[in-house]
């Protein structure tokens, strides 16, 4: 909006004109292969079992001697020979039973010990080979995993390349243009411009808005018809300088504004000076009309004063682009296009006033 003419669209249309075709969902990439390795085999524990010992006769005889002494003491203490003999017989049977068990089980215990020792020796002897096989397995699995990972990466890159190509195909200028055109068509049907208020607006027209001062007002009516050009019609709390409204297309209305750089026109004769329509000053007004489904066209006063037919051509071109009706636009084949003019800041406005630019358009 740094040059005139300024052409603004309803907010929904602007959004459609800035939209892009939706892209497909990114490809689903499978999870990368996971390297699963067996833990390192544990080293066999140290064999700490002692070999079984054959029972000795001397400890048995000594045990039996102890039994005799204890039995005699029991009989003496109880004053009963029978009790002593009973105790002697029971302990003797226990001692000889234990001895017999040890003698009988010795070969079995010795054989079991030798088997356990042989198994331990076999584990100790085979452990280096087990470690070597385990290291070889780890090496092979690592190589296999790298190959699978490389293949997974190739497939992933291929999917991404195909997806990117699909996105780029949707982002070609023609595809974007077609998409935006279709989006605008959908939005057009839902436009519902805010209607005029019943009460007429206060007459606060500027210099070039009067037919006696400028050709533009009469040209608007001549080109677009008296039934489509309206003045002094208020829309809520704003009054367009001129409004183009098509009765047959109630979704299409244009707010046509003429921006003067300062007021009063005769400055410095009539003071104080007020800079007007500086960059940013009309943003709220523009937004109001856009929000209420109006188009907005803003011309500078100089453009309207010096090139009124070219300004009308801008309006006719917008109508043709929106409605497809080129009947009016054809009448401007020999009219030159309107040349852009810079917008102004407050400082620019003051400089224009000091030069009395509004009184000296050339």
């Amino acid at each position: 909006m740094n040059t005139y003419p300024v052409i603004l669209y309803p907010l929904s249309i602007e959004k459609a004109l800035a939209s892009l075709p939706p892209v497909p969902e990114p490809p689903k990439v499978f999870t990368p292969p996971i390297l699963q390795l067996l833990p390192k085999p544990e080293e066999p524990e140290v064999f700490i079992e002692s070999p079984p010992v054959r029972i000795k006769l001397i400890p048995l005889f000594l045990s039996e001697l102890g039994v005799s002494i204890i039995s005699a003491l029991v009989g003496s203490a109880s004053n009963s020979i029978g009790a002593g003999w009973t105790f002697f017989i029971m302990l003797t049977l226990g001692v000889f039973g234990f001895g017999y068990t040890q003698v009988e089980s010795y070969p079995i215990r010795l054989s079991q010990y030798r088997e356990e020792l042989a198994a331990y020796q076999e584990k100790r002897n085979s452990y280096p080979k087990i470690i070597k096989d385990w290291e070889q397995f780890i090496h092979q699995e690592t190589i296999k995993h790298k190959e699978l990972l490389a293949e997974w990466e190739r497939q992933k890159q291929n999917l991404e390349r195909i997806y990117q190509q699909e996105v780029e195909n949707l982002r070609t200028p023609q595809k974007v243009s077609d998409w935006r055109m279709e989006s605008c068509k959908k939005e057009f049907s839902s436009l519902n411009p805010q209607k005029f208020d019943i009460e007429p607006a206060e007459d606060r027209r500027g210099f070039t808005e009067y037919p006696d001062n400028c050709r533009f007002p009469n040209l608007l009516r001549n080109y677009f018809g008296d039934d489509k050009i309206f003045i002094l019609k208020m829309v809520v709390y704003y009054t367009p300088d001129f409004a183009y409204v098509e009765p047959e297309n109630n979704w299409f209305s244009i707010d046509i504004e003429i921006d003067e750089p300062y007021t009063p026109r005769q400055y410095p004769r009539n003071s104080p000076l007020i800079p007007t329509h500086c960059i940013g000053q009309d943003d709220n007004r523009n937004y109001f009309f856009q929000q209420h489904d109006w188009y907005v066209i803003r011309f500078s006063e100089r453009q309207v004063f010096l090139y009124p037919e070219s300004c009308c051509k801008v309006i006719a071109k917008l109508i043709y682009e929106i409605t497809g009706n080129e009947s009016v636009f054809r009448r401007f084949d020999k009219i030159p296009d309107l040349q852009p003019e810079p917008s102004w800041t407050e400082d620019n406005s003051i400089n224009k006033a000091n030069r009395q630019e509004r009184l000296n358009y050339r």
Side-chain angles (χ1 to χ4, degrees):
M1 292 177 58
N2 291 327
T3 59
Y4 286 98
V6 174
I7 302 177
L8 302 174
Y9 295 80
L11 294 182
S12 59
I13 301 299
E14 281 200 344
K15 184 177 180 181
L17 289 173
S19 65
L20 293 172
V23 298
E25 288 290 328
K28 293 182 179 179
V29 180
F30 297 105
T31 56
I34 301 174
L35 179 61
Q36 295 180 333
L37 300 176
L38 296 175
K40 183 178 180 180
E42 295 184 0
E43 188 174 359
E45 297 181 359
V46 178
F47 189 78
I48 58 174
E49 295 289 334
S50 299
V53 179
R54 190 188 299 272
I55 192 170
K56 306 291 185 184
L57 293 177
I58 293 176
L60 281 177
F61 288 128
L62 291 176
S63 298
E64 187 59 28
L65 180 61
V67 167
S68 300
I69 296 172
I70 294 172
S71 298
L73 291 174
V74 170
S76 175
S78 61
N79 292 321
S80 174
I81 297 175
W85 276 106
T86 302
F87 193 78
F88 173 77
I89 293 171
M90 291 178 62
L91 290 180
T92 298
L93 290 174
V95 170
F96 279 98
F98 173 76
Y100 178 79
T101 303
Q102 289 294 309
V103 171
E104 287 296 320
S105 65
Y106 175 74
I108 298 174
R109 290 184 288 116
L110 181 62
S111 176
Q112 183 178 358
Y113 168 78
R114 288 173 177 172
E115 289 176 359
E116 292 177 355
L117 180 61
Y120 169 75
Q121 292 293 344
E122 185 178 355
K123 287 182 180 179
R124 292 295 303 177
N125 294 335
S126 63
Y127 183 70
K129 184 177 183 304
I130 292 174
I131 291 298
K132 184 177 180 180
D133 292 344
W134 175 79
E135 291 175 344
Q136 186 176 2
F137 168 78
I138 295 296
H139 179 69
Q140 292 174 347
E141 288 298 310
T142 302
I143 293 176
K144 187 186 300 182
H145 176 260
K146 288 181 179 179
E147 293 174 350
L148 292 174
L149 192 61
E151 178 61 25
W152 175 84
E153 185 65 33
R154 283 193 294 271
Q155 293 179 0
K156 176 172 173 282
Q157 291 178 357
N158 187 51
L159 289 174
E160 290 176 347
R161 180 184 58 78
I162 294 173
Y163 173 73
Q164 191 61 38
Q165 186 63 48
E166 291 177 352
V167 173
E168 290 177 0
N169 290 339
L170 290 172
R171 292 291 188 263
T172 60
Q174 186 60 47
K175 290 281 188 180
V176 171
S177 177
D178 293 344
W179 167 262
R180 290 176 175 174
M181 184 62 66
E182 288 301 317
S183 299
C184 286
K185 288 180 181 179
K186 293 178 182 178
E187 295 298 332
F188 287 148
S189 60
S190 62
L191 290 179
N192 184 25
Q194 177 71 43
K195 302 299 187 292
F196 295 129
D197 292 350
I198 298 175
E199 297 295 327
E202 180 184 355
D203 190 351
R204 301 176 60 184
R205 284 177 286 176
F207 179 78
T208 51
E209 296 171 46
Y210 287 96
D212 293 341
N213 300 330
C214 178
R215 297 172 56 217
F216 185 66
N218 286 333
L219 286 174
L220 283 177
R221 291 181 172 84
N222 178 47
Y223 280 118
F224 304 107
D226 287 333
D227 59 331
K228 297 179 182 179
I229 300 299
F230 298 87
I231 62 170
L232 303 180
K233 293 288 187 179
M234 182 177 288
V235 180
V236 185
Y237 40 77
Y238 288 116
T239 304
D241 292 345
F242 296 94
Y244 173 91
V245 177
E246 287 197 8
E248 64 272 18
N249 293 327
N250 57 10
W251 49 265
F252 185 51
S253 299
I254 307 175
D255 168 29
I256 303 169
E257 300 288 341
I258 302 173
D259 290 353
E260 305 88 356
Y262 60 89
T263 189
R265 180 170 176 268
Q266 296 82 8
Y267 178 84
R269 223 172 7 163
N270 296 329
S271 57
L273 172 68
I274 301 176
T276 57
H277 303 293
C278 301
I279 294 174
Q281 283 186 352
D282 297 307
D283 288 351
N284 290 338
R285 180 187 177 100
N286 292 338
Y287 185 81
F288 168 83
F289 281 100
Q290 290 180 277
Q291 189 180 33
H292 289 83
D293 291 346
W294 280 65
Y295 294 81
V296 179
I297 300 180
R298 308 191 76 94
F299 299 106
S300 71
E301 183 185 49
R302 180 177 179 277
Q303 287 176 322
V304 167
F305 192 80
L306 297 178
Y307 313 107
E309 288 188 300
S310 295
C311 292
C312 290
K313 183 177 182 179
V314 172
I315 301 171
K317 183 179 180 182
L318 177 64
I319 294 171
Y320 164 61
E321 290 175 349
I322 301 304
T323 66
N325 184 355
E326 61 178 356
S327 59
V328 177
F329 187 54
R330 286 177 183 170
R331 299 171 63 185
F332 292 91
D333 289 342
K334 296 182 180 180
I335 302 299
D337 292 339
L338 182 65
Q339 296 303 308
E341 180 178 320
S343 305
W344 50 81
T345 62
E346 187 170 334
D347 288 341
N348 299 145
S349 175
I350 294 171
N351 291 334
K352 289 175 181 289
N354 291 333
R355 296 195 304 268
Q356 294 187 311
E357 185 174 290
R358 294 187 65 188
L359 299 176
N360 299 283
Y361 286 137
R362 294 290 185 271

